[in-house]
Amino acid sequence: MKTINFYKGIEKVYSVYANNLDDVKNNPLNYYPEYREDMVITEKEFQYPIQDENGLREMTREEKIEQGLETQLEQGEFIKNKKIIKVPQPSKYHFWNKETNRWELDLEGLKHIRRREFRQVLLNKIYADFDYNGKIFQMGEADEINFLRVKSAIDIATTSNDPKAIIEAVKYLKVEVPAGFEEKIKAIIKDKTTLSEVIQNLKINWRLKDNSVDSFSFGEINHIYLLWILRGTAAQEEYTAIATKTMKAKSLEELEVIEWK
């Protein structure tokens, strides 16, 4: 059901529910006994109707202003002598002050906005994919946990004096432990350098960015994690420098030339 309106001139004189507009137009007297041929039947409901050679329509903003009616203005617009004046926005960082009818710049507020934008660039850099010898690793926040598990296993294995704890640590990561591994660990457990070499040469399957699975040693995974940390540290230093420069900017011009991609 639709609401169908009857207008006489610019006055809405009646409304009715009907299945469609054509039903009402074809049999208007069935819906409104006082219908006259000079009436307009429409689905539209006008807030400020006006009628001209084009028929019944809504007033334009300019016509509303001329009639002294309240009109929604856009940013950068104000009314003068019953005309809409449009002031171009100097930059995307300016906001419209309706009290003064001027574009104004909140430089301090803008500095904080820009610094937050650069903070997002930093996070994008930190968690960007990592290329290791042509193998693309995902380095998102969730992926970091997997690297930390390997690092923890290496740390536990190379500092523990309990062979059983070492075996459990590497099995936790679903590493295939070769036959005689536990006996070998017992034999070299006091030689931490040799023990570290044995542990870091263990292989683990790792899912890459493209969902393929490849085999890497514990040592390689730990090395990739270290390189990722160093990459993030370098990005953090860049961010600190650019954030400092941003907060020291004394004008919009100074602020606009600061970029970091």
Side-chain angles (χ1 to χ4, degrees):
M1 298 292 284
K2 297 181 178 180
T3 300
I4 309 299
N5 302 304
F6 289 75
Y7 279 86
K8 183 175 178 59
I10 61 172
E11 180 185 0
K12 185 176 72 173
V13 294
Y14 192 70
S15 294
V16 67
Y17 288 111
N19 289 326
N20 56 65
L21 180 61
D22 287 339
D23 284 350
V24 181
K25 283 188 172 183
N26 293 334
N27 301 284
L29 290 172
N30 290 346
Y31 291 90
Y32 182 39
E34 297 181 26
Y35 168 76
R36 298 295 180 267
E37 290 187 359
D38 61 347
M39 291 181 180
V40 174
I41 303 173
T42 177
E43 292 181 56
K44 296 179 181 179
E45 183 165 1
F46 301 99
Q47 185 178 11
Y48 297 105
I50 189 171
Q51 200 163 36
D52 58 17
E53 64 276 6
N54 297 315
L56 188 64
R57 60 175 177 80
E58 189 72 48
M59 281 188 184
T60 64
R61 291 196 305 155
E62 290 74 15
E63 288 169 337
K64 291 177 187 177
I65 291 170
E66 289 177 0
Q67 297 294 326
L69 299 172
E70 185 175 343
T71 305
Q72 183 68 42
L73 296 176
E74 298 176 359
Q75 294 288 298
E77 292 182 341
F78 66 95
I79 298 172
K80 183 177 181 180
N81 297 327
K82 293 189 175 183
K83 299 292 183 183
I84 297 177
I85 307 299
K86 180 74 173 180
V87 182
Q89 187 177 11
S91 79
K92 63 180 180 179
Y93 305 116
H94 283 75
F95 68 93
W96 182 249
N97 187 325
K98 293 182 179 179
E99 300 299 322
T100 61
N101 289 331
R102 295 180 62 182
W103 289 105
E104 296 181 4
L105 174 68
D106 178 6
L107 187 60
E108 290 306 309
L110 179 56
K111 288 179 185 180
H112 289 283
I113 291 173
R114 292 291 286 154
R115 186 171 64 177
R116 285 196 296 271
E117 290 174 352
F118 290 136
R119 175 68 180 173
Q120 186 57 54
V121 174
L122 169 63
L123 293 176
N124 293 342
K125 287 179 177 289
I126 288 177
Y127 293 111
D129 298 337
F130 193 89
D131 186 336
Y132 178 73
N133 294 334
K135 307 291 185 180
I136 307 301
F137 287 75
Q138 289 187 154
M139 305 302 289
E141 292 183 67
D143 301 295
E144 186 180 3
I145 295 173
N146 296 325
F147 287 90
L148 284 171
R149 285 173 179 165
V150 171
K151 182 181 183 305
S152 296
I154 294 174
D155 291 344
I156 292 170
T158 55
T159 58
S160 175
N161 291 317
D162 183 356
K164 186 176 180 181
I166 296 174
I167 297 298
E168 290 178 349
V170 295
K171 282 186 176 180
Y172 176 75
L173 290 172
K174 299 180 180 179
V175 176
E176 185 177 343
V177 179
F181 181 71
E182 187 168 355
E183 288 70 24
K184 186 175 184 180
I185 293 298
K186 289 178 180 178
I188 64 173
I189 198 164
K190 295 188 183 300
D191 183 352
K192 297 304 182 185
T193 300
T194 303
L195 177 60
S196 177
E197 292 175 359
V198 170
I199 297 299
Q200 295 202 50
N201 283 327
L202 290 173
K203 294 286 188 176
I204 184 172
N205 289 327
W206 201 272
R207 188 172 297 279
L208 300 171
K209 170 76 172 182
D210 62 2
N211 280 327
S212 65
V213 177
D214 209 335
S215 179
F216 298 89
S217 70
F218 270 29
E220 284 181 298
I221 294 298
N222 210 31
H223 181 59
I224 292 167
Y225 185 49
L226 173 61
L227 293 177
W228 176 77
I229 291 173
L230 294 175
R231 184 184 73 175
T233 300
Q236 180 68 56
E237 290 176 352
E238 291 178 19
Y239 167 74
T240 299
I242 204 165
T244 300
K245 186 177 181 181
T246 296
M247 298 310 291
K248 287 183 176 179
K250 291 181 170 33
S251 67
L252 175 61
E253 290 71 26
E254 284 186 33
L255 209 52
E256 285 184 318
V257 297
I258 301 174
E259 292 186 355
W260 191 34
K261 297 180 179 178

